[in-house]
Amino acid sequence: MDVLDKYKKAWVNQPEDNKQLTSKEIYKLAHSSSSSLVKWIFIIGILEFIFWGVINFLVPDSFYKIYEDLNLETFLQVFTVFHYIILIAFLYLFYQNYTNISLVDNTKKLIKKILKVRKTVNYYVYYNLAIIVLVSFVINAKIFSNPEKHLDIINPDNLAMDLSQIVTISIISQIIAVIVILVLFWLFYKLIYGIFLRKLNKNYKELSKLDESN
Amino acid sequence: MQKDLEEKFLSDFEKNQNIAHKICRVYTTNQNAHNDLFQEITIQLWKNYPKFRGDSKFSTWMYRVALNTAISLYRKSTRRVKTQDISDVAYKISSTPYDDTEEAQLKALYKAIHKLNDIDKALIFLYLEDKPYKEISEALGITSVNARVKMNRAKEKLKNILNP
């Protein structure tokens, strides 16, 4: 007899839970508010979309003067339209992936679908970070192609320094800013993954383990 | 229509609520967490009930939704105050007479199950509930062969915990 058989017998004979709920109590529970991981992943995703959506409005108007000074206004207009089309596309994908989640699916498929919702948001964040890098690159390329002409942009306070010093300081400060931004994002995602996704990733990996080795 | 559906759900769930209680005992170790998970399972069952077409038994469908909730949707609250461990208390003794040895074995079993990972917990739970491999593999989304291999490993782990 297998050692587990006696435990299985104890399992089968285990008494019913002494807190048997009445249908009235079940009704109350069924209509209460969910605090599931999926709900949190959805809420955080929406907050991120809002964050990246409104970030343009938080940038002071003076910043846009750079585009005027560099004759990049058309670039900015075209880019803004493009940016909002991408935002809508991502929102659509995000919502579609979210509504695709079904608890009747098998566990592996379910976790995969939940992670897909999160991935959609991640790709949107990567897209935004890439755009920041791209736009900075365009502005820098424009400025440094003719630094003397754009001296007032890279040296707005009119510091008494020679051009090469100003260029060096400008580049170093930009690099530091990029590193600070990336570290902040890294910490934010470490937190999200730690709190909400560790369990899902772990369980998905556990379910995929044997399939990969076969 | 909605009222009929609701009444049918409440009656189905009331009759089968022990499935949810057992899953809560497997996946949680204190009464507060048990209640939290039970609540989430109830919410998810009700939310998904309109899609339940009745081509399988309610209990079969409930196993899947409840297990999926425990494995993929439930997040342990970090704000939880430390409460007594469920394995250490006389756990939910009902008024029906119950064999002392079996009670001890059941406590040891739950205590051992709590040491397994989420997927092994599901495998062992389905084994204890006498579910066929086909149903286990379909519920978890792995092949029948893998379900067997994983089950054997999970059982070995459980045996080692029970009889070190």
Side-chain angles (χ1 to χ4, degrees), chain A residues 37-55:
Chain A
L37 274 177
V38 172
K39 192 178 168 185
W40 280 108
I41 288 170
F42 182 74
I43 291 172
I44 290 172
I46 289 289
L47 289 177
E48 282 173 85
F49 277 113
I50 293 173
F51 170 78
W52 288 105
V54 300
I55 201 164

Side-chain angles (χ1 to χ4, degrees), chain A residues 114-162:
Chain A
I114 300 173
L115 291 174
K116 202 171 163 189
V117 173
R118 184 57 233 167
K119 266 187 201 156
T120 320
V121 187
N122 284 1
Y123 288 139
Y124 183 64
V125 174
Y126 298 153
Y127 158 77
N128 276 285
L129 290 175
I131 287 299
I132 292 175
V133 173
L134 183 79
V135 170
S136 311
F137 182 78
V138 170
I139 293 175
N140 277 306
K142 191 90 179 165
I143 291 173
F144 295 116
S145 63
N146 193 353
E148 275 157 21
K149 191 179 161 200
H150 302 298
L151 204 57
D152 54 328
I153 294 175
I154 46 179
N155 187 12
D157 299 329
N158 238 340
L159 299 172
M161 279 187 273
D162 64 42

Side-chain angles (χ1 to χ4, degrees), chain A residues 11 14 32 34 206 211 214, chain B residues 25 39-40 129 146 150:
Chain A
W11 176 273
Q14 71 181 296
S32 56
S34 159
E206 190 61 40
D211 287 340
N214 280 350
Chain B
R25 283 188 216 167
Q39 179 173 354
E40 194 60 51
E129 292 288 292
N146 286 351
K150 273 187 182 291

Side-chain angles (χ1 to χ4, degrees), chain A residues 1-12:
Chain A
M1 186 172 136
D2 191 287
V3 70
L4 286 182
D5 285 348
K6 63 174 183 186
Y7 290 102
K8 193 169 177 176
K9 199 167 155 261
W11 176 273
V12 173

Side-chain angles (χ1 to χ4, degrees), chain A residues 164-210:
Chain A
S164 67
Q165 268 180 311
I166 294 169
V167 169
T168 316
I169 290 171
S170 165
I171 290 174
I172 290 175
S173 53
Q174 285 189 61
I175 291 173
I176 291 172
V178 167
I179 291 173
V180 169
I181 289 172
L182 288 180
V183 167
L184 286 177
F185 274 104
W186 182 78
L187 284 173
F188 177 70
Y189 283 99
K190 237 3 214 179
L191 197 72
I192 289 195
Y193 279 98
I195 297 174
F196 297 105
L197 299 179
R198 196 172 45 198
K199 173 179 159 133
L200 288 173
N201 279 323
K202 202 175 133 201
N203 288 342
Y204 189 72
K205 223 168 131 189
E206 190 61 40
L207 284 170
S208 308
K209 234 195 256 168
L210 270 175

Side-chain angles (χ1 to χ4, degrees), chain A residues 63-77:
Chain A
F63 183 80
Y64 290 107
K65 215 181 146 286
I66 293 177
Y67 291 94
E68 278 173 38
D69 295 345
L70 294 171
N71 287 326
L72 285 171
E73 282 160 299
T74 323
F75 166 77
L76 181 67
Q77 279 164 2

